[in-house]
Amino acid sequence: MPTPAVSKFAETAALYAVLCEDDTEARRIVLDMFPGERAKFAEQLDTLRAMLTDRFGHDL
């Protein structure tokens, strides 16, 4: 089976693996990142998490 195009970007591939409920693959992808890349990804996820609120600003 060919690898999906999203695997060209580690962050996207990790999120895709989570969406596919493949935690093992998501963990492998994240562990393959350099520490600085993981830290930047965590910052990006924090930003995304802050956007995931209802229209009143409450966490979903």
Side-chain angles (χ1 to χ4, degrees):
M1 172 192 252
T3 306
V6 295
S7 66
K8 295 184 187 267
F9 300 96
E11 296 89 343
T12 304
L15 289 172
Y16 183 75
V18 169
L19 288 170
C20 293
E21 298 181 3
D22 190 347
D23 293 346
T24 302
E25 179 65 4
R27 185 178 315 278
R28 184 198 64 75
I29 293 166
V30 170
L31 290 174
D32 282 348
M33 293 178 184
F34 291 112
E37 291 172 327
R38 285 195 302 270
K40 184 65 178 172
F41 188 37
E43 289 174 19
Q44 294 165 341
L45 292 174
D46 287 342
T47 300
L48 180 60
R49 174 98 172 114
M51 293 178 193
L52 297 174
T53 61
D54 63 16
R55 63 185 181 159
F56 304 107
H58 301 111
D59 285 341
L60 297 176

